[in-house]
Amino acid sequence: MSAVLDHSSHSHDAHDDHHDHGAPAGWRRWVFATNHKDIGTLYLLFSFAMFMIGGVLALGIRAELFQPGLQMINPELFNQLTTMHGIIMVFGAIMPGFVGFANWMIPLQIGASDMAFARMNNFSFWLMIPAALMVVAGFFMPGGAPATGWTLYAPLTLQMGPSMDTSIFALHLLGASSIMGSINIIVTVLNMRAPGMTLMKMPMFCWTWLITAYLLIAVMPVLAGAITMTLTDRHFGTSFFNPAGGGDPVMYQHIFWFFGHPEVYIMILPAFGIISHVVPAFSRKKLFGYASMVYATSSIAILSFIVWAHHMFTVGMPVTGQLFFMYATMLIAVPTAVKIFNWIATMWRGSMTFETPMLFAVGFIFVFTIGGFSGLILAMAPIDIQLHDTYYVVAHFHYVLVAGSLYAMFAGFYYWCPKWTGVMYNESRGKIHFWWSLISFNITFFPMHFLGLAGMPRRYADYPMQFADFNAIASVGAFAFGLAQVYFFFFVVLPAMMGKGVKANSNPWEDKNSENLVKGAEGLEWEVDSPAPFHTFETPPKLNAAATKIIA
């Protein structure tokens, strides 16, 4: 969030005289931005705006479900809200948010002057604006927004109005944006590391994003194929997914989930990277098992391609298929558990302090683990057949995505905010945001496990009386959680962006009094001034043996 800050402060290691003018001024700086920090800021602001829009849709859903009976929304609009909430949160909030972190931090962490393809970086951001407008505009088109669920299943997609077509076009644009961003990240990481920074000395966040970028390039074209087939079924007389013409709606599910399951890991691997920086910094220790973290991340990425049909146990799959996908899904828990144990081992006997980034990191580990266990339960085919499409599934993936991806982004924001803005956020407000978010999140989503076990199906606008109490609790929690994020923006983010707060030094997390070998946050990003100068590392830095410090 370098945002409105003056970047005239210089790092000792990285300047040519002709660049000392710093950032261009006015709107041109943002519209024509090629600087990785500015583009990172744009991504993060866009992501937060979409998070708020998706959140408002979610509150519409929860307001309707507050008590039995149809209160304020008809079932068709209810299904539009569930569909658009999912699409906006996945493609508009979580993914661009992590791309914003990648843009800001990867060049700083590897000692590069910028991303490899600066103009393509600008283009990949601005593609998202018309896509977002098209998605949101669906509500104002004849027939309203798509009401298919975020998975866009046939045959529902063949029955929707014109907003279905604009949503397909928007997803194509977002996919193109993701692929361009991924190419940029891969080339930057592989070609632009400072001399002496081998791949196995690279910060964990760069590793997780390198692997994520390969995943994106592999699966975004699969989604593009699925929705293009949907488009031709709708308008050009094909029948890929229409049984009347010899097609098969289950084929759509296979194609979609072949994209959809790696997509889940696309949304969590960068989160693992952020947590792998925050936990060591506040434990005053090196990350335990660095190499095993790299191998575990790679294993998760590879295994993610062979588990897709665990979303489809109820379609009439042969028992052999069910067994394969069940075992493969349980296998993916192993590298994930390796990460959890490594973080806990990092904290073990460390000199831990609990500033806000660490609170969110510990909160992430606790709540993500609950989500992981409920995922293991859903991996069992006989249990999943009972729980499929119930609120148990809703609880599971919100524990993984909200308490996973979102909490990690909050941890990353608090951790790197001093580097972005040059000032410390307000610690007590950060702690309020954490506890408010953690408690309200659990009030919202924990009761949904019981609703699902009792058999309440998702995507229904109404329900019988026996589900009333837990739904009322969940709705109250949801509104509290939404308010916590408004508080976060107005009382934490805005003051930091406007430079209100204690000035941060280059490494605000360093504990000079600590007797540990590691004094706090490590890495090249903590070697440059705060806020990070507009141009950094124009000459590659000379690194120490561990590739974490610059040798002056």
Side-chain angles (χ1 to χ4, degrees), residues 64-83:
E64 176 54 54
L65 293 173
F66 180 64
Q67 56 190 126
L70 291 177
Q71 318 299 325
M72 53 191 80
I73 298 172
N74 65 31
E76 181 68 11
L77 178 57
F78 183 88
N79 283 340
Q80 293 174 26
L81 291 179
T82 53
T83 302

Side-chain angles (χ1 to χ4, degrees), residues 217-237:
I217 290 173
V219 301
M220 288 316 283
V222 178
L223 174 67
I227 58 180
T228 304
M229 285 191 258
T230 301
L231 197 66
T232 59
D233 273 12
R234 282 169 56 81
H235 297 293
F236 299 107

Side-chain angles (χ1 to χ4, degrees), residues 148-157 219 222-223 225-227 229-230 233 240-243 247-262 304-305 307-317 325 384 388-389 458-459:
T148 58
W150 83 276
T151 50
L152 307 176
Y153 273 6
L156 289 170
T157 42
V219 301
V222 178
L223 174 67
I227 58 180
M229 285 191 258
T230 301
D233 273 12
F240 290 111
F241 311 131
N242 184 356
D248 183 3
V250 174
M251 180 173 79
Y252 175 86
Q253 296 189 30
H254 277 292
I255 301 168
F256 178 86
W257 285 115
F258 189 78
F259 147 81
H261 206 80
S304 74
F305 282 102
V307 298
W308 76 90
H310 67 208
H311 299 268
M312 301 169 53
F313 283 141
T314 58
V315 301
M317 197 186 299
F325 286 108
D384 182 79
H388 184 79
D389 255 343
R458 63 178 177 171
R459 298 180 185 167

Side-chain angles (χ1 to χ4, degrees), residues 254 306-307 309-330 378-385:
H254 277 292
I306 61 164
V307 298
H310 67 208
H311 299 268
M312 301 169 53
F313 283 141
T314 58
V315 301
M317 197 186 299
V319 172
T320 318
Q322 289 188 354
L323 284 171
F324 170 79
F325 286 108
M326 184 166 88
Y327 293 142
T329 305
M330 292 167 74
L378 290 170
M380 316 269 181
I383 302 176
D384 182 79
I385 287 164

